[in-house]
Amino acid sequence: MPFPRTSGILLHPTSFPSQFGIGDFGSEAYRFVDFLVESKQQLWQILPLGPTGDSNSPYASYSAIAGNPLLISPQLLYDRGLIAEDFTNLPKFSTERVDFSQVIQTKIPILQKACKNFRTSATSSQQQEFQEFCQSQAYWLNDYALFMALKDAHNGASWNTWEMAIAQRKPEAIKQWQQRLADEVFYHKYLQFEFFLQWSQLKRYANQREIQILGDIAIYVAHDSADVWANPGNFCLDEQTGEPALMAGTPPDYFSATGQLWGNPVYNWVRLQQENFKWWVQRFQSMLNYVDLIRIDHFRGFQAYWAVKQGETTAMNGSWLEAPGEAFFEVLKQKLGNLPIIAEDLGEITPEVYALRDRFEFPGMKILQFAFGDASAEKRFLPFNYQSNCVVYTGTHDNDTTVGWFNQLLPSEKEQVLAYLGCQSQSGIHWDLIRLALSSVANQAIIPLQDVLGLDTEARMNFPGKTVGSWGWRYQSAALTPEVSDRLRAMTETYGRAIE
């Protein structure tokens, strides 16, 4: 499904300014949408919105469909009369980074109060809205809410360490725990109701201003998730322990001599195909209810995936196994029509993966930072090698910022970049790379907000392979200046990416 010539900004909602220590769906989110409009952007790319675990990574969620309650705006709850506080006694949060533990300690009690007040004083129309939400989302919400209530009851322990009867979802155990945790299950359903209510209102605001939202679907789900607990047959698990029998990852390459061992269970594709990919179709359908376009992370895993047996401590001793990607995307097309999908096709990609991508006309990704440097430079990322059906980025959430990246290049590598750009000066390198992206033939160009603002390495979103220090970056409320907006708008118009 080729896309029109457009551009946009990559920014996860946790990065918004707010008084609660983490970005949310409140006023600053709407202000950001206004900034997109003023800058003549048409796309807003986000990371996965699911509830995160201890790593705080959007790619390690307790659910493939649920939303992260920490993104709920307390101010909007207050405006709706669900909490009485005026928030004058909040702790002093950092305005530059998210302290996730401090945010949880502050926001969860607020959300608990909102739930209590909703339960006792919601209007009849609010109660009806809630009931309709629970009914329409029951296919995932019931399992998710019970799973989260059970995790709380087991002090956060992974589901496969629970008593065998509930870990294996024996009907009698399910019934007993549902009765025992009825209030807690209601609470988790309520949080999802508020999350999707606030998100839907924000998305509607964006869409009305001709901003489309590009969501992100992680190919794998976390082992400790409602998805694996509720649908164990969809995954390759050890029947005795519930641990992944085969783990996902990537083989050794020039980035890592031992590969990457992610630990997620790989899919039981035989079972999924026998059920006509029902679980996957529901996942895409639910996402398309809340975003306009979808980026598939690790797209190559739909053609073949690296599988490592349980017990291995690195990804070295794995093997490639084929996935029924063509059959899956045919079913998806039959069920949902031509899909607005972008394929993340980075890393070591085979002709078979490209063939799968091209068969369904999914645009791939081009990263300008990868085009320059020493032996790791990949000429396929230089703009003169692009076809129009692709998406160009200066960098992604996994890269350093453009300023940080450039500052760490060797002098000879910097000269190579400047020669390609036709620049003499090293100042304003972020705008030079933004210009290179916007002027390319790629149908879509997406720029991380950090690059629009010209920020250094301290604003990096993620450090792949590091277990701490990622996902916390936030921008300052005063950063979205008219000067920045005007410059981005002028460049967008110059290179034919603005709506006429």
Side-chain angles (χ1 to χ4, degrees):
M1 185 177 177
F3 299 104
R5 186 171 175 81
T6 53
S7 62
I9 290 180
L10 166 60
L11 179 75
H12 196 51
T14 54
S15 297
F16 290 134
S18 91
Q19 67 190 108
F20 301 98
I22 189 171
D24 59 33
F25 299 147
S27 58
E28 288 287 351
Y30 289 80
R31 182 164 175 258
F32 173 71
V33 171
D34 293 341
F35 173 80
L36 292 174
V37 174
E38 291 156 9
S39 308
K40 290 294 182 78
Q41 304 309 298
Q42 298 168 53
L43 298 170
W44 170 19
Q45 182 176 336
I46 58 175
L47 307 182
L49 290 174
T52 55
D54 294 339
S55 68
N56 305 312
S57 168
Y59 295 91
S61 174
Y62 290 133
S63 170
I65 297 177
N68 186 350
L70 296 181
L71 292 171
I72 295 170
S73 164
Q75 186 62 52
L76 293 181
L77 295 177
Y78 175 77
D79 293 345
R80 288 176 60 215
L82 289 164
I83 42 181
E85 287 89 344
D86 56 6
F87 311 120
T88 52
N89 296 317
L90 291 173
K92 185 167 177 55
F93 291 107
S94 165
T95 58
E96 298 178 351
R97 298 202 66 78
V98 180
D99 181 333
F100 285 95
S101 60
Q102 187 185 25
V103 166
I104 289 167
Q105 289 168 15
T106 304
K107 285 193 81 167
I108 294 304
I110 294 172
L111 296 175
Q112 288 169 337
K113 282 182 186 173
C115 178
K116 185 178 178 183
N117 292 337
F118 182 88
R119 201 158 193 180
T120 57
S121 56
T123 65
S124 57
S125 63
Q126 287 175 328
Q127 290 173 350
Q128 185 178 347
E129 253 188 297
F130 175 68
Q131 291 303 325
E132 288 172 356
F133 171 80
C134 291
Q135 288 166 9
S136 66
Q137 306 302 312
Y139 67 96
W140 66 268
L141 183 61
N142 290 346
D143 286 326
Y144 168 76
L146 180 57
F147 172 83
M148 293 304 292
L150 282 161
K151 268 195 82 66
D152 293 343
H154 289 86
N155 297 313
S158 181
W159 65 266
N160 62 306
T161 66
W162 302 344
E163 304 92 297
M164 188 178 291
I166 191 61
Q168 296 183 352
R169 295 176 55 85
K170 302 295 184 188
E172 190 58 36
I174 292 276
K175 186 177 177 183
Q176 288 173 358
W177 279 102
Q178 281 175 333
Q179 292 171 348
R180 183 169 156 188
L181 299 176
D183 289 346
E184 291 82 357
V185 168
F186 180 93
Y187 166 69
H188 286 289
K189 287 184 177 181
Y190 169 74
L191 293 185
Q192 293 306 303
F193 169 68
E194 288 293 349
F195 174 94
F196 284 108
L197 181 66
Q198 291 191 6
W199 172 250
S200 297
Q201 290 170 343
L202 176 59
K203 179 180 180 291
R204 190 178 308 119
Y205 183 83
N207 289 166
Q208 287 171 349
R209 285 149 187 79
E210 298 186 299
I211 303 295
Q212 290 194 304
I213 294 174
L214 169 54
D216 197 330
I217 201 164
I219 184 170
Y220 291 117
V221 299
H223 172 254
D224 189 21
S225 66
D227 306 282
V228 178
W229 174 67
N231 308 281
N234 290 344
F235 304 89
C236 293
L237 302 179
D238 183 298
E239 290 186 11
Q240 303 301 315
T241 65
E243 292 284 347
L246 292 174
M247 299 179 288
T250 57
D253 57 20
Y254 55 78
F255 290 117
S256 171
T258 59
Q260 295 179 44
L261 186 62
W262 298 331
N264 311 67
V266 301
Y267 292 103
N268 180 349
W269 281 110
V270 173
R271 163 79 173 267
L272 287 164
Q273 190 164 7
Q274 286 171 348
E275 296 182 346
N276 209 26
F277 306 106
K278 180 183 176 184
W279 182 86
W280 267 109
V281 171
Q282 285 182 331
R283 190 178 177 193
F284 270 87
Q285 178 65 72
S286 65
M287 268 207 79
L288 287 170
N289 290 335
Y290 300 111
V291 300
D292 302 298
L293 308 94
I294 295 175
R295 186 194 86 118
I296 300 179
D297 194 50
H298 198 63
F299 175 81
R300 70 119 43 253
F302 283 103
Q303 191 278 320
Y305 55 95
W306 190 248
V308 182
K309 288 183 179 178
Q310 180 62 237
E312 295 286 345
T313 55
T314 74
M316 295 176 70
N317 298 321
S319 57
W320 287 109
L321 301 176
E322 284 199 16
E326 190 172 318
F328 166 62
F329 286 114
E330 287 290 357
V331 168
L332 208 57
K333 189 175 179 180
Q334 290 167 16
K335 301 278 188 185
L336 304 178
N338 282 337
L339 290 176
I341 284 173
I342 292 167
E344 185 268 287
D345 55 351
L346 307 175
E348 298 288 333
I349 305 299
T350 64
E352 291 81 4
V353 179
Y354 287 136
L356 178 65
R357 181 198 68 187
D358 294 343
R359 175 182 172 87
F360 295 93
E361 297 187 288
F362 299 150
M365 291 173 57
K366 307 294 183 185
I367 313 300
L368 289 177
Q369 287 185 22
F370 292 169
F372 304 100
D374 53 18
S376 66
E378 295 188 62
K379 300 307 179 188
R380 65 185 168 123
F381 293 121
L382 286 168
F384 65 73
N385 286 320
Y386 295 177
Q387 294 177 320
S388 58
N389 190 31
C390 70
V391 188
V392 60
Y393 295 75
T394 50
T396 73
H397 62 277
D398 284 334
N399 294 98
D400 201 345
T401 66
T402 289
V403 170
W405 162 79
F406 187 80
N407 287 343
Q408 292 174 39
L409 292 177
L410 298 172
S412 61
E413 294 168 345
K414 289 181 179 178
E415 288 176 15
Q416 176 195 18
V417 174
L418 294 174
Y420 190 93
L421 293 168
C423 298
Q424 302 299 317
S425 170
Q426 298 183 13
S427 63
I429 189 67
H430 55 294
W431 282 113
D432 294 329
L433 248 70
I434 291 170
R435 179 183 295 107
L436 187 60
L438 294 177
S439 65
S440 75
V441 298
N443 284 341
Q444 293 170 301
I446 296 179
I447 316 298
L449 185 65
Q450 292 96 316
D451 286 353
V452 175
L453 300 178
L455 301 177
D456 209 335
T457 298
E458 74 277 354
R460 183 172 181 163
M461 191 63 170
N462 182 40
F463 298 78
K466 282 192 178 181
T467 55
V468 293
S470 293
W471 313 113
W473 173 74
R474 301 172 70 204
Y475 69 89
Q476 305 289 299
S477 189
L480 303 184
T481 63
E483 291 76 20
V484 171
S485 176
D486 290 347
R487 187 166 186 177
L488 183 58
R489 180 177 69 247
M491 212 176 271
T492 303
E493 289 174 336
T494 296
Y495 296 114
R497 294 186 183 274
I499 296 174
E500 293 300 326

